Each structure stands twice: as structure tokens, then as C-alpha cells.
Amino acid sequence: MDHLSCLENQSIYIIREGYNRFRDVAMLWSIGKDSTTLLWLIRKAFFGNIPFPCLHLDTGYKFREIYEFRDRIAKEWNLNLKVHKNETAIARGVSPHTGKLECCTELKTNALKDAINALRFKALFLGIRRDEHGIRAKERVFSPRDKQFEWNYKSQPAELWDQYKTETLDDEHIRIHPLLGWTELDIWEYIRREGIPIVLLYFAKNGKRYRSIGCETCCNPVDSDADTVDAVIEELKTTTLTERSGRAQDKESAYMMQKLRSLGYM
Amino acid sequence: MNLPKTVVIGIDGVPFDFLIQQCDKKIMPNLADIIANHPHKKMKSVYPAISAVAWTSYMTGRNPAVHNIFGFIDRNPNPLELIINTGAMRKCETIFESLSKKGYRVISINVPMTYPPFPVNGIMVGCFMTPEISKVSYPEEFYRYLESRGYVIDPDARLFDESPDKFMHDIHRSLDARLAIGFDILEDRQWDFYQLHIMESDRLFHFFWDSATGNGQYSDACRLVFRKIDDFIGRVCSFIPKDARLLILSDHGFCKTRREVQLNTLLEKAGLLSFVSGKIKSLATMHPSTVCYSLIPGRIFLNLSGREQYGTVLQRDYDTVRHQIKDVLQNLKDPETADMAIDKIFFREEIYSGPFLHRAADIILHPKNGYDLKSHFDKDHVFMMSNISGMHTYDDAFICGINLPIEKVDEIKDVRAILES
């Protein structure tokens, strides 16, 4: 079996296993290339009818193209789309302009906590990959979170020879990562093979393209002429830039900004 | 190797007159003894009068167009983005490095813009911008000692909104740790040049100006801050040898904030700044027709063609446009009192010179005392009230020295020369 089919089979196995174990599940759909690939795989796993909701955490700052894509695909694929916003924080005036770290915490992290509590999901499918970021390399396919939604990286179950831990304590919930072993290049090659629709922001326009998308306020395009899937794949084979280099901030500068803002220095 | 042992105590943002009053009121008896017998004077800061720029000018002895630090934040013109300045952006050598090279043993604790901490012949503990304790020191492992002693990088100003009590408590917690650990380092380690920086005074004046200078709910807590600082000065004086040099200085003064002045809102109202419609107003959503925009404090950048990502102001119009902007700004009046808000308007080449002049703002405003120049993009009003009660001033920093010719110092960048000779 070729590499992509192998990845596809593994992912579909994980998706079915996760649903079979937990039932009260949802998938987190950021509308980016990874979670849209995950969505594609979940549709395959259930022959076109996804038996659980797709959750979009809407910060209100996503690109217009993202919203349009979301609404079009949700309709075409007949998704049970649930859009969740942290309205309390937004009413309080939290925004990227008042502090990016707080904004992310409130409009993404806390919005997710709210959604899980309100909709009572026992497990969530996410499209994260080990090669995205150092901290994600330590992730598990079935990854427990405690009551406070904390991920204790010191007590993660071993996943030797693909033996997954699917039992949970009552106050835990599980994050399921069917794409964990995929690389950015695998994703693009699979998108090409399957013809998966993705947001056009990933393709170059006027010499720039987005390699990673999220909120418009916090994403920058990279220099690129790759305007087709083929060209993107060629670019990825040679680039030395990291995938998330266009994302606004690492934690360190976010910390400094918060510090300077609290002192009125910015 | 012929410089006597030297101790520098930096008390951030403390105005000359304020310290003299503390001496007169016997809140700072040790400092009172020093100024009774040694020269002390008012010192000018730097434009703009903020710690990042002032302390970098102190440690390099140079003006911003040479050392390249023009504020806590800056912007890259193309691609247009906001950046945070750290010590890594500094373009010239510091006194800590040059003394180290000459073989002097150097200890520096908490001096602004010393994050990331850099190699010295001794120990460097980074400043308040340090994001976590494990990154605070050179040599790196020294942080373990600091951590074990309960060192605090900086009080958390976000606490003020939650409760001023909590923030005041945090100021004392941080100050106590810094002074105690700082003195132990002075006693226990080898040094020829030792500098300890106190940031808590700046925080106190920003958030508790009325209590610090008059009678308020927090006046006792404020007095206690200066008693603790004075106690530290006293202990240092009794510890160091008679022929040692001692310098006590601040980097700028302070005054009460009357109003915040939102320069970007002013520029927008004057038709010089506009944003792409339907977007949240920010640096990233400026309309290409923008003539200029502002960054804190009081820095105006032209949207210059060939330099700025979406620049449209022609190079040949540069000076004409600067004069037009100056005309718009110089008569800015507080709508309630009709007082003038702007004291001086400089074109960059009038106050800076050096290889990084091109990175400076095109126009630099210096406000009248009381008008704190801010540059948010999304405010509706030019003149606003503030929850920050004190703001920086330019010409009343404090300096006093034992065995040092401080009469040679006019502004903060002159200090390095007297320390190195």
C-alpha cells in the first residue's frame, strides 16, 4: 500500500475507534487545510454522513474567505455545524487590539471550554500534527485532558505499537488526533490525490500566500508564487521557513506585549 | 585596570524634587547624608523620555540613532508590522561589555533593556521584559540561585485593575526580593562594577501618583517603598570601601497625568490617517492614502513611498509634508482648559544623529507636562482620561555621585563617560 493510503487507513481506523468508544463526540473544524482534510476523512469513515457535530470556534476575526468557505461546505456536505463564540469576552471588549495573548485565551481556549461544557462532549476530534510545533510532537493520538482542560504532558499514556488508551475518568475528556503522524507535505499530497476543496488563501496572489490561516489580525502571508496545489507541494519540498512562521507571535513576544500594555507603553 | 570599585543604583523615574523632599522629610536619611556632602543635580533624559531609550543611552553613552532603540516598540516599514524592542536590537557596545573586556568584574541586575541577558565578565540579571525566570540570567544557571531565593522579575501591573491593594502588595514583594538578593550578591560575589536597578518606583508613580506625592490611601505604602530603597542605600554605603565610587540616578522624572492624548485619533480627524472600511482600525488596516501614523510615545511616521509597505507620500514631498503635519500638531489645545498640549516638535535630524537615523520616527513630539501622548488606533476621542495617574518628564531626572564628576553630566547619555574615566 502506498504511503498516503497507509495514513488514510490509520486515520479512518482511529476515527471509527474514537466514535465507537465515546459516542458523545464532535470534531473541531478551524476551516484550515488540516481540519478540512480531517473532515474529508471523517466523511469517508462514515460513508458521507457524519454522525456528530462539527464545531467552529468563531473569534469574529477570521478571514472573510474562511466564513464563505465554511458556509458553502457546510451546506454542500450537509454538516451539523455548530458555531461557538465567547460572547461574554467579546462584550467585555476583548480583541486582538487589547492584547493578543488574552484574545487567544478568551476567544479560542475559553470558548472551547464553554462549548465542551455546554454541549457535553466526551471526546473531540482535532486535526493537529506532530510536525507543526515542538510541543505538539509530544502529543498522543488519544490524549486525555483533566477537569481544568489541562494537558499534563508528564502523565500521557504510552502508545506503543498503536495500542491506544481509550478509557477515561469521569471528569476527563479526550482529544483524538487522527492526523498526528501526518506531515504538512502529506496533507498537501493527499489534498491533491483526493481533490479536497480548501480555502483559496493558501494559494499565491501577488507574490504572497498564507501557509497557515486563522484570524486575519494575527496571520501574515509568506512570499510565494505557488498558486496551485502542485506548486505548493514543490515549494514545501525546498522551503526552509517553518509552517507557522506567518503566525503573529510566539509566547515570548505575546508576554512582552501584554507587559507593555499593562504599563501603558503600547 | 585602574578604575576604583563602582556601585550604581538606578531608581527608575524618580524626579529630582521628589527625592529631595523625601530627604527633607527624613524618609530617606541615608540619601540625605549623601546629598549633604556630595554633588547632586537635575539631569535631562532623552527624547522620548522612556526607560527603554534612556537606559540604553546610559549604557551605551550614545544617542538613539547610534544605539537603535527608539522606544519599547517600533515598526518595520516593509512588511509593515509592529515589533517589540529588546536589548537584542541594540547596535552598539554597552559599558557592561566594555568594562568586561578590560577585565573588570561586572554585576548588573534588572537594568532596563538587558533582556535577553548578554555575556559579561560576571553576572547579568535581565530586566522586567524577561518572560520567565529560566531566561533571566547570564550565566544561564545563575537563575537557579535567584529562583531558590524567591527573586521576582517584575510586579504584575495587570493586578492594578483587579485591585490596587494587590498591585501594591506585589510591588513590595518584588522590591523586597530584589533588594535582599541584590545586597547578598553585592556582599558575596566578586565585582568591580555593580549596578542594581529599581523599577518599582516607576510603577508606583504611574499607578499611585497622588498617594506617592500627597496624602492618599496608599501614602504609607508609597513612603515605605522609599524607606526600603534608602535602607538599601545605607547598607551599600557601609559595605563599600571608602575610595569606591557610588552613583545614584534616575532616568527621567514624573508628573501627574492630566489627559491622555490619542495622536492617531487626531491624525485621523485631520484627514491624515485613514483605514480600509469595514476593518478594525489598526496598523495592519491603514488605507494606502494615509499620510502619517503614530506610535507611542509621540512618534510620527510618514507613509513614505519606497519605504513603507503601502507608502504613498512622495520622497520629494517629504519636507513639505513634515511641515504640514507640524502645523496641524503644534496648536493642539486641551478642549477643557485651552492649555497647549504639545511642548516641542522635532524633525528627527534635529535631535538624533548616527547610522540608524533612518529608523527613527520622522517627527518626534514632546508634550507639555500632564499630556501623555498615546497612539492607539481605535479610540474615538483625542483627549481622554486615564487610569494611569503619572507620566514621564524629560528634564528633572536625578543624579548624585560620590567620587564622581557629575558636574560633567547634562543628559543621561553623558553618564557612561564619567563612569569609564
Side-chain angles (χ1 to χ4, degrees):
Chain A
M1 207 179 343
D2 67 80
H3 178 58
L4 288 180
S5 302
C6 205
L7 287 172
E8 180 188 60
N9 280 344
Q10 280 172 354
S11 298
I12 288 180
Y13 168 75
I14 293 162
I15 291 163
R16 288 180 177 156
E17 179 71 13
Y19 177 63
N20 188 38
R21 280 284 178 178
F22 299 108
R23 295 292 157 156
D24 295 329
V25 298
M27 79 156 286
L28 202 57
W29 186 30
S30 73
I31 339 282
K33 63 183 190 323
D34 299 324
S35 64
T36 304
T37 300
L38 177 62
L39 182 59
W40 182 268
L41 287 162
I42 292 176
R43 286 179 80 226
K44 275 201 166 184
F46 302 108
F47 307 103
N49 291 308
I50 302 178
F52 46 79
C54 299
L55 178 63
H56 179 222
L57 300 176
D58 184 9
T59 59
Y61 295 100
K62 302 291 174 190
F63 290 90
R64 179 176 47 82
E65 291 87 341
I66 291 182
Y67 293 114
E68 285 169 7
F69 183 86
R70 177 191 75 188
D71 296 341
R72 179 168 67 80
I73 294 290
K75 207 170 156 195
E76 277 176 24
W77 291 357
N78 195 25
L79 303 179
N80 176 8
L81 177 68
K82 299 221 181 290
V83 176
H84 195 85
K85 268 188 176 183
N86 185 348
E87 301 284 4
T88 356
I90 293 169
R92 207 153 51 74
V94 171
S95 86
H97 314 286
T98 56
K100 293 194 175 184
L101 191 60
E102 187 194 12
C103 185
C104 269
T105 307
E106 287 294 346
L107 304 189
K108 286 156 85 174
T109 316
N110 290 342
L112 179 60
K113 286 183 192 177
D114 284 357
I116 291 176
N117 283 333
L119 304 167
R120 303 200 164 276
F121 299 124
K122 191 72 188 141
L124 264 186
F125 289 102
L126 278 84
I128 68 162
R129 307 186 334 266
R130 283 207 173 106
D131 76 332
E132 277 179 276
H133 195 286
I135 194 77
R136 290 188 176 174
K138 301 180 182 69
E139 265 290 5
R140 298 293 190 267
V141 175
F142 287 79
S143 174
R145 295 290 192 282
D146 69 12
K147 207 174 179 179
Q148 275 73 48
F149 295 79
E150 293 290 328
W151 177 53
N152 185 351
Y153 68 91
K154 287 179 184 164
S155 68
Q156 291 287 303
E159 288 185 340
L160 306 172
W161 299 284
D162 294 340
Q163 300 299 304
Y164 302 125
K165 175 185 184 280
T166 55
E167 292 83 36
T168 56
L169 303 171
D170 278 349
D171 54 2
E172 281 181 338
H173 81 275
I174 293 267
R175 304 269 173 98
I176 308 172
H177 304 132
L179 300 181
L180 205 56
W182 295 51
T183 65
E184 187 184 10
L185 191 58
D186 292 333
I187 294 284
W188 279 102
E189 290 183 330
Y190 188 69
I191 285 171
R192 175 166 68 181
R193 185 181 97 175
E194 302 283 306
I196 303 172
I198 54 162
V199 179
L200 295 177
L201 294 167
Y202 287 109
F203 301 111
K205 223 170 108 183
N206 304 325
K208 302 237 177 227
R209 76 176 192 93
Y210 290 89
R211 197 153 150 205
S212 173
I213 60 173
C215 291
E216 186 168 7
T217 41
C218 300
C219 285
N220 285 311
V222 294
D223 289 333
S224 166
D225 293 318
D227 54 357
T228 63
V229 177
D230 284 336
V232 168
I233 288 169
E234 275 316 300
E235 178 187 283
L236 290 179
K237 284 178 177 169
T238 55
T239 185
T240 53
L241 283 178
T242 61
E243 183 175 359
R244 294 173 77 88
S245 59
R247 292 295 189 115
Q249 322 198 347
D250 59 8
K251 281 203 168 139
E252 187 163 313
S253 55
Y255 171 85
M256 290 181 188
M257 264 191 201
Q258 196 174 60
K259 179 109 236 166
L260 292 176
R261 203 174 288 279
S262 71
L263 295 166
Y265 291 156
M266 74 174 284
Chain B
M1 289 282 290
N2 53 8
L3 293 178
K5 281 185 178 281
T6 306
V7 171
V8 179
I9 302 172
I11 314 176
D12 205 282
V14 64
F16 180 89
D17 290 340
F18 178 87
L19 274 188
I20 301 299
Q21 283 164 15
Q22 304 308 297
C23 292
D24 294 347
K25 290 180 191 163
K26 316 242 181 297
I27 293 165
M28 302 188 79
N30 292 304
L31 182 65
D33 272 358
I34 296 173
I35 63 171
N37 300 301
H38 299 279
H40 56 284
K41 62 188 267 192
K42 274 189 192 179
M43 175 178 70
K44 289 178 195 142
S45 181
V46 62
Y47 295 112
I50 51 173
S51 300
V53 189
W55 288 107
T56 306
S57 301
Y58 157 84
M59 69 178 83
T60 62
R62 303 301 191 111
N63 87 88
V66 179
H67 62 59
N68 192 39
I69 303 294
F70 298 93
F72 276 112
I73 57 165
D74 230 306
R75 101 299 179 221
N76 265 338
N78 191 9
L80 187 61
E81 60 183 352
L82 211 58
I83 49 175
I84 298 172
N85 281 329
T86 66
M89 304 287 289
R90 186 178 48 243
K91 298 287 188 189
C92 54
E93 194 179 64
T94 63
I95 185 170
F96 309 115
E97 292 157 302
S98 89
L99 291 176
S100 293
K101 274 189 195 166
K102 291 175 192 153
Y104 294 101
R105 291 159 303 184
V106 171
I107 293 176
S108 162
I109 301 170
N110 197 37
V111 180
M113 294 309 267
T114 58
Y115 178 79
F118 47 90
V120 290
N121 179 24
I123 298 165
M124 171 162 289
V125 179
C127 70
F128 76 94
M129 296 276 277
T130 307
E132 52 189 280
I133 189 93
S134 65
K135 295 179 173 175
V136 83
S137 63
Y138 174 89
E140 204 180 304
E141 315 79 65
F142 189 69
Y143 89 86
R144 292 184 197 279
Y145 166 76
L146 295 171
E147 189 174 46
S148 72
R149 292 286 316 272
Y151 184 77
V152 179
I153 294 171
D154 193 47
D156 185 355
R158 287 176 304 168
L159 290 172
F160 183 79
D161 282 342
E162 200 183 306
S163 134
D165 277 7
K166 280 190 185 166
F167 184 43
M168 182 57 87
H169 184 264
D170 214 37
I171 287 175
H172 278 276
R173 183 179 72 104
S174 155
L175 182 68
D176 292 348
R178 198 173 335 276
L179 296 180
I181 300 165
F183 191 75
D184 287 351
I185 293 172
L186 180 85
E187 251 186 336
D188 298 343
R189 309 271 165 169
Q190 299 288 319
W191 53 270
D192 302 300
F193 185 92
Y194 171 100
Q195 180 162 359
L196 180 122
H197 185 79
I198 296 158
M199 203 69 216
E200 287 76 7
S201 41
D202 176 90
R203 309 304 186 234
L204 207 67
F205 290 133
H206 272 305
F207 291 93
F208 299 98
W209 175 260
D210 292 330
S211 284
T213 56
N215 278 320
Q217 193 187 344
Y218 296 97
S219 289
D220 287 341
C222 291
R223 271 193 291 276
L224 189 54
V225 165
F226 290 94
R227 284 190 201 283
K228 286 174 178 176
I229 294 171
D230 189 67
D231 177 59
F232 178 78
I233 292 170
R235 292 172 73 195
V236 169
C237 286
S238 14
F239 177 75
I240 57 176
K242 280 279 165 281
D243 63 341
R245 305 185 300 176
L246 174 69
L247 183 72
I248 300 173
L249 82 165
S250 64
D251 59 329
H252 52 75
F254 250 96
C255 69
K256 185 178 170 63
T257 308
R258 294 169 69 184
R259 288 280 186 280
E260 278 185 359
V261 182
Q262 293 292 347
L263 290 176
N264 281 326
T265 312
L266 174 74
L267 296 173
E268 196 184 352
K269 285 181 195 286
L272 296 168
L273 169 62
S274 60
F275 300 93
V276 176
S277 66
K279 300 269 183 180
I280 293 156
K281 294 173 183 177
S282 74
L283 191 68
T285 60
M286 281 191 311
H287 194 276
S289 67
T290 288
V291 174
C292 61
Y293 58 93
S294 162
L295 288 188
I296 204 165
R299 291 178 288 165
I300 311 266
F301 297 86
L302 265 56
N303 189 27
L304 193 64
S305 168
R307 179 183 76 184
E308 306 283 319
Q309 185 173 10
Y310 306 108
T312 48
V313 174
L314 297 177
Q315 299 268 356
R316 64 161 189 269
D317 296 335
Y318 182 72
D319 270 324
T320 326
V321 173
R322 282 203 302 181
H323 279 102
Q324 284 165 352
I325 297 167
K326 187 175 176 175
D327 289 343
V328 170
L329 295 168
Q330 68 187 355
N331 294 317
L332 184 64
K333 287 192 179 113
D334 183 335
E336 273 182 30
T337 58
D339 289 340
M340 302 292 277
I342 306 292
D343 183 38
K344 295 188 182 80
I345 302 181
F346 302 108
F347 293 159
R348 60 186 183 185
E349 64 277 12
E350 297 174 316
I351 48 171
Y352 305 141
S353 74
F356 299 100
L357 181 64
H358 64 278
R359 293 205 64 249
D362 300 295
I363 302 171
I364 298 97
L365 307 185
H366 181 65
K368 293 272 189 196
N369 285 352
Y371 294 95
D372 199 4
L373 302 180
K374 300 286 185 192
S375 298
H376 295 128
F377 285 93
D378 55 352
K379 300 293 181 200
D380 296 330
H381 301 288
V382 178
F383 286 85
M384 300 173 60
M385 290 308 288
S386 166
N387 71 339
I388 292 186
S389 56
M391 63 169 277
H392 298 182
T393 54
Y394 170 76
D395 50 14
D396 59 342
F398 174 89
I399 183 165
C400 95
I402 298 181
N403 300 330
L404 279 162
I406 66 153
E407 68 280 0
K408 291 183 182 166
V409 173
D410 179 44
E411 52 186 301
I412 192 162
K413 81 171 166 59
D414 304 336
V415 176
R416 180 178 172 180
I418 65 161
L419 287 173
E420 279 197 284
S421 56

